[in-house]
Each structure stands twice: as C-alpha cells, then as structure tokens.
Amino acid sequence: MRAQISSTPVLFVHLSLVNINKIGGPFELAHQFLEPYFPQGGLGYCNIEFDLATAQSATKYRREVDKVVRDLFKQRSWARLVMAITNHTDSDCGDPFTGYMGDQYVAAEIDQVSFLDLLLAPWSTMIQRATESYMWFFSCGALVNNAVSFTALQQSVSKHKITASIAFTAPRFQPNFTGLLLLAFAEQVIIESYHIAHAFPHMLGQSNKLGRHTDIILMMTDTLTGNLSAVRFFWTHIDYRPWGFHMPIQCPDCGIVDAWRSATKHRVYRFECKNRRCGKLYTFEQPPGSQLLMPGKTGSSSWMSIPCNAEG
C-alpha cells in the first residue's frame, strides 16, 4: 500500500430524517477534520432533512434538493461524494422511516421503487458524475439484520451505483460510537486515497471499542461488472466474544454470574459453567470462510471478516 495526498474536491451530503437528533455526529466531525487539508476550497458540506411520507412532502424535498444540486454544480465539479443517511428503522421488518404521517413517524419498504429511489433521485446526476461515491447508513441494525430488507438494500445500492456503502448491525445503534472509524476513513480513503477495500481493516484497527457495540457491513460495487459484494466485519475476544459469538455474563440455566471456566484446543473454545450441578456448556469454532485481521490485533482480541454470502 502506498499513500498519496489528494486534493480532489470532496462533497459531504448528510440526509437526515426530519426532527431526528444528530447533534455532535461523527459525519460532521469527519468533515471538520478535513477542513485544514482544503485551505483553497474544494471541500463542501450540505445537510438536508427529508420527509417522504406524503406526496406533498416528497415534492417539497425534491424541489429543495434540485435547487441545492444546481447551486453545488455552479461551484465546481465534485469528483468525490460522501453521503450519509441518518434514520430510524422498524425493529421488526427493517424498513426505514420515511417521515411523518399526521403526528407519527411511518416506515416504508426499502425496495427499488420506494425509499432510496425517492431519497436519491435528485442526487442521481451528482452520483453518476462522481468518480467515487460513499454511503454511510446511520440506522439501527434491523436494516441489515432482516434478510428481506438487507437484500432490498443491496439491490438499491447496486442500482444507484454507489462505490461503497457501510451499515451497522447493532439493534440499538449509536452513531457517535463510529467517530474514530469516520476519522480513519477521512484520513485513509479521502486524503491518502487508499481503496476502501484495502483501508477498511486499518480503519477498524483504530476502532476496537466499536466492535463491542456493533458488527459492520461493507458493500462494494465492482466498477467493471457492476456486481455488488458484501463483507461483514466483527470483533472477537477469547473470553467475551469467542469467534465473534456473544457469551452471556450469567449462566442462562442456573443463574450464577461470572459463570464460565474456559479451555481451548485446536482453535475450538469451550466454556463450561463453574456450577458443577449445572453442566451448561458452550462450544465455539471459527466460522467457515472467516479470517482474522491483523490491524489492531492484540493478544486476546481481533477484528475478523467474512463474506456475507458465506454465512448462508
């Protein structure tokens, strides 16, 4: 890997659900981190709230974005586009919220003719003209944990030809925990121009604590074939997260805490309840197709990766 210092113009676009709390978010932090690298201009930021729940509110959003896009193109050509969507999701089906219907938020299916089409349609020309485009989904994990919504999300990302997209699996995802990951992205991908596939393990190596909160999904579009690939990154710890599996603090059978004595043989972890009358036993093996990542590795913990299609 060889780094360079890039001054290619970069535009940050933050699309957030109307009235959602985004104070002090990591996306704005990454933009602020980059400002000293662009003393002569070439770094843009725009923040747009969306409400797509009704035809009237969707039309208002489209007109607002059309004007913003025209003004942005008058400034310059934006070769690199970094977008984020901050939103809620339906915890059962993974559908993203679209806005207000009356006085309540409503969700809608994330398919090829729905949410992302409405949200990204006014930005399509800018996405197409950018040589690189990135999308960060700051939403709770149901978006990717539900198989139906995750499949639809991948189809939508592929359709809009986003270079790379990042989503998170935590059921109650906290965007502020991703601050170090966004700063590493800004430095390694935006400034040093590493390809995100090569940079991502090193980005994670600076974000070990994030792994205790969430797994991360990286989706990338092949520039030649247009095919989309997806990789899940997860954190492992020999005592608390063997091979990425969650260990309960309390034995679910007998109820004692600090419950486990462990043993390892041939990279297989065995955890047995210390209560001799209980006998609860867990056995963990490395998931097939997964690999340990060296950046950020310690004596007891590491990030790992596995292709999403290897998980069945």
Side-chain angles (χ1 to χ4, degrees):
M1 295 175 65
R2 174 178 291 181
Q4 55 182 320
I5 301 298
S6 173
S7 59
T8 303
V10 184
L11 175 64
F12 278 64
V13 176
H14 193 180
L15 306 177
S16 55
L17 179 67
V18 60
N19 292 340
I20 197 170
N21 184 0
K22 54 184 183 297
I23 295 175
F27 193 69
E28 183 177 1
L29 176 66
H31 169 261
Q32 292 173 348
F33 170 82
L34 290 172
E35 286 181 328
Y37 291 94
F38 295 87
Q40 305 301 321
L43 178 66
Y45 187 94
C46 63
N47 187 22
I48 304 288
E49 285 192 342
F50 64 83
D51 184 345
L52 309 176
T54 67
Q56 182 179 5
S57 60
T59 299
K60 180 182 177 181
Y61 165 79
R62 173 107 192 198
R63 289 174 177 169
E64 178 186 1
V65 174
D66 284 344
K67 181 180 184 304
V68 169
V69 170
R70 287 196 299 270
D71 291 343
L72 288 168
F73 275 133
K74 288 178 182 178
Q75 296 177 25
R76 66 182 69 246
S77 176
W78 301 95
R80 308 177 90 182
L81 179 63
V82 184
M83 306 184 75
I85 300 174
T86 298
N87 200 0
H88 296 303
T89 55
D90 185 293
S91 57
D92 294 323
C93 60
D95 293 338
F97 284 20
T98 58
Y100 282 113
M101 188 74 73
D103 60 351
Q104 292 186 333
Y105 279 134
V106 293
E109 293 183 3
I110 180 166
D111 57 34
Q112 291 184 323
V113 294
S114 185
F115 177 73
L116 278 185
D117 264 3
L118 288 173
L119 191 65
L120 297 183
W123 302 96
S124 59
T125 301
M126 184 160 285
I127 294 173
Q128 292 168 9
R129 293 186 183 180
T131 56
E132 298 175 25
S133 54
Y134 303 94
M135 179 70 74
W136 293 81
F137 290 96
F138 295 122
S139 302
C140 289
L143 181 67
V144 291
N145 294 335
N146 181 287
V148 175
S149 64
F150 184 37
T151 298
L153 175 66
Q154 292 178 84
Q155 292 171 347
S156 295
V157 166
S158 179
K159 176 182 178 181
H160 292 284
K161 297 180 173 60
I162 307 294
T163 304
S165 302
I166 300 94
F168 303 89
T169 67
R172 294 176 178 83
F173 174 63
Q174 301 296 318
N176 282 358
F177 290 175
T178 67
L180 292 177
L181 186 68
L182 266 291
L183 291 177
F185 166 80
E187 180 180 44
Q188 297 179 31
V189 177
I190 300 302
I191 294 300
E192 297 179 347
S193 293
Y194 287 124
H195 191 284
I196 192 168
H198 301 296
F200 212 78
H202 297 274
M203 291 163 52
L204 293 173
Q206 300 181 30
S207 309
N208 274 348
K209 290 185 178 180
L210 178 62
R212 304 177 189 183
H213 174 57
T214 184
D215 296 352
I216 305 167
I217 305 291
L218 174 63
M219 295 166 278
M220 294 176 292
T221 302
D222 189 298
T223 55
L224 296 178
T225 66
N227 294 332
L228 188 78
S229 62
V231 179
R232 181 170 68 93
F233 296 88
F234 58 97
W235 184 71
T236 179
H237 188 283
I238 59 175
D239 294 321
Y240 312 123
R241 200 77 65 81
W243 294 125
F245 296 96
H246 290 255
M247 275 297 299
I249 297 175
Q250 184 178 29
C251 177
D253 286 4
C254 70
I256 71 168
V257 296
D258 188 21
W260 311 109
R261 63 169 62 93
S262 63
T264 306
K265 185 177 182 180
H266 303 308
R267 298 168 66 87
V268 176
Y269 295 99
R270 292 170 54 88
F271 292 81
E272 183 179 3
C273 182
K274 295 177 181 177
N275 181 357
R276 295 182 180 180
R277 297 180 181 178
C278 177
K280 181 67 176 178
L281 177 68
Y282 287 101
T283 301
F284 301 103
E285 299 184 35
Q286 181 174 354
S290 66
Q291 62 177 0
L292 287 166
L293 304 179
M294 296 309 297
K297 187 178 185 299
T298 69
S300 58
S301 67
S302 172
W303 281 96
M304 299 185 67
S305 67
I306 185 170
C308 289
N309 59 9
E311 299 181 283

